[in-house]
Amino acid sequence: MVKGNWQKEISEAITSVDELLNILDLQTSIAGDQLMFAPEFKLLVPRAYVSRMQKGNPQDPLLLQVLPRVLEACNVEGFSVDPLAERAVSPVPGLLHKYYGRVLITMAASCALNCRFCFRRHFPYAQNIIDENTCMGILAYIANDKTITEVILSGGEPLLISDAKFNTFINALEKIEHVKILRIHSRMPIVVSARITEELLCSLRKSRLQIVVVVHCNHANELVSAVTESIDKLRAAKVSVLNQSVLLRGINDNADALIALSYKLFNSGILPYYLHMLDKVQGAAHFAVSDTLARRLLAEVQSKLPGYLVPQLVREVPRATSKTRL
Ligand SMILES: *Cc1c(COP(=O)(O)O)cnc(C)c1O
Ligand code: SF4
């Protein structure tokens, strides 16, 4: 297989804590004993994302999203390995059917960038790898349930699959008449913009399905011109582009950061959709923001922005019939 630019960017991503600290001139400003040098959920960050971090700043909001810290080893009460009880809502391997009308497919078992606060960091992906058999099972399940009108590709990172595989999948999905919308939850347009290839755009453009891409951006500094270019291409292919963020302590837990994010998203052709409360996953407790602060921040954001730039503040509640507004 010919490797495209995006595959090269991923294979050259940084996986070493030392290398990351070196690039950012941070060897002396962060004490080594605060960091995890070989965590099980490894450090993984593409160089293009690192180039958006500020050198010499140990509190950089992009750095904090990817740098493994010893704090992750703390076991905090109420934080578990399966905070959403997802294992209970999977009728066939690789598929979650939790909400009316929508199913979510865990398309790929990994990501192009590992977020330290990831709610799926302990997800049993190995049991949910989408091979051809699993894929048939998933398509059969969807075909059998006429209430399913929207299929959501998630992961991990769904756009880690090749253009050829994506095209095969979307073609199969289009044959199921009651499916109208294909939603792709992907961090790729943000972290590896080159992933929005002409082949991918072609599959999206010619599809009878309405396509929604939900990117995942937590801070305005992530939105550089390469991102805007990839979003422009998606929008030119009639794709609706939304954003979901996670409210993260030390990263975006102030009104100015949230307001700047909304404006920058809009400027890049993206509308804010959700602002998620952190899922209580083991290893991420140090990112948690209290409900009180979250409500106060949202009220301030709401008082300063037009309604269309205010994301919905939500959390996942196991067994709830939708995401739950705060
Ligand atoms: C979040 C989620 C969805 C989508 O919910 P929306 O409110 O439509 O964005 C669907 N399925 C699962 C399992 C989810 O976690
Ligand atoms: S991109 Fe999403 S699924 Fe992947 S590590 Fe980050 S939060 Fe987790």
Side-chain angles (χ1 to χ4, degrees):
M1 190 179 71
V2 188
K3 287 217 165 178
N5 286 341
W6 67 272
Q7 280 130 328
K8 193 161 170 281
E9 276 188 48
I10 290 171
S11 63
E12 291 172 357
I14 294 171
T15 54
S16 145
V17 172
D18 278 320
E19 187 181 359
L20 181 60
L21 296 180
N22 269 325
I23 291 175
L24 296 171
D25 296 333
L26 285 173
Q27 305 90 322
T28 50
S29 32
I30 307 181
D33 61 3
Q34 291 179 15
L35 300 174
M36 276 211 249
F37 287 87
E40 204 177 320
F41 182 58
K42 69 176 184 185
L43 167 83
L44 179 68
V45 55
R47 284 164 204 272
Y49 192 82
V50 174
S51 72
R52 299 167 206 170
M53 297 175 186
Q54 191 190 17
K55 283 195 178 178
N57 179 7
Q59 301 302 325
D60 180 89
L62 277 53
L63 174 68
L64 294 181
Q65 293 184 51
V66 300
L67 189 65
R69 295 186 169 263
V70 168
L71 284 169
E72 294 176 25
C74 298
N75 271 326
V76 175
E77 205 179 310
F79 286 74
S80 76
V81 295
D82 183 19
L84 310 182
E86 281 191 330
R87 283 160 222 206
V89 292
S90 180
V92 291
L95 180 139
L96 301 174
H97 194 178
K98 190 169 169 187
Y99 302 141
Y100 182 86
R102 292 150 285 167
V103 292
L104 183 149
I105 302 175
T106 48
M107 200 75 182
S110 56
C111 284
L113 165 146
N114 284 346
C115 312
R116 303 321 298 174
F117 47 86
C118 181
F119 66 111
R120 293 221 168 96
R121 56 184 294 166
H122 308 283
F123 192 74
Y125 281 120
Q127 300 154 31
N128 284 275
I129 299 277
I130 309 283
D131 56 19
E132 224 160 290
N133 261 338
T134 345
C135 198
M136 302 283 270
I138 288 172
L139 289 165
Y141 180 87
I142 297 170
N144 265 320
D145 183 343
K146 287 206 162 57
T147 67
I148 299 170
T149 52
E150 176 170 4
V151 172
I152 303 171
L153 302 185
S154 183
E157 171 54 72
L159 291 182
L160 281 178
I161 65 170
S162 68
D163 287 326
K165 276 197 178 146
F166 181 84
N167 194 53
T168 307
F169 179 81
I170 194 170
N171 287 340
L173 204 58
E174 281 163 9
K175 295 201 176 84
I176 307 174
E177 219 174 305
H178 51 269
V179 175
K180 311 289 186 208
I181 302 172
L182 173 64
R183 190 197 314 182
I184 306 167
H185 275 253
S186 171
R187 241 194 146 175
M188 284 298 219
I190 307 287
V191 300
V192 184
S193 316
R195 176 64 191 92
I196 309 308
T197 60
E198 195 40 51
E199 290 75 9
L200 177 69
L201 290 163
C202 184
S203 299
L204 300 176
R205 228 181 266 127
K206 69 178 182 8
S207 179
R208 74 158 179 87
L209 301 168
Q210 281 178 266
I211 314 277
V212 185
V213 167
V214 181
V215 296
H216 176 180
C217 175
N218 297 314
H219 195 278
N221 293 0
E222 293 175 52
L223 297 165
V224 296
S225 59
V227 175
T228 311
E229 282 159 29
S230 73
I231 302 299
D232 283 347
K233 289 182 195 166
L234 287 168
R235 294 176 74 215
K238 292 204 180 128
V239 174
S240 305
V241 188
L242 307 174
N243 180 60
Q244 58 173 355
S245 316
V246 182
L247 186 57
L248 297 163
R249 184 150 108 209
I251 294 173
N252 58 13
D253 61 341
N254 65 82
D256 289 344
L258 293 171
I259 290 169
L261 174 59
S262 271
Y263 273 126
K264 195 77 185 281
L265 285 166
F266 187 56
N267 191 246
S268 310
I270 307 167
L271 282 175
Y273 177 35
Y274 280 146
L275 176 60
H276 284 272
M277 294 300 286
L278 182 79
D279 293 313
K280 294 194 155 188
V281 65
Q282 203 177 80
H286 53 294
F287 289 115
V289 173
S290 71
D291 285 11
T292 315
L293 177 58
R295 287 198 183 93
R296 190 157 64 67
L297 290 173
L298 192 77
E300 188 173 347
V301 167
Q302 219 157 7
S303 73
K304 293 188 173 156
L305 286 181
Y308 60 88
L309 293 186
V310 181
Q312 299 182 52
L313 180 64
V314 293
R315 72 152 43 94
E316 284 271 345
V317 176
R319 287 167 292 277
T321 55
S322 73
K323 312 258 186 243
T324 308
R325 272 84 189 157
L326 249 80

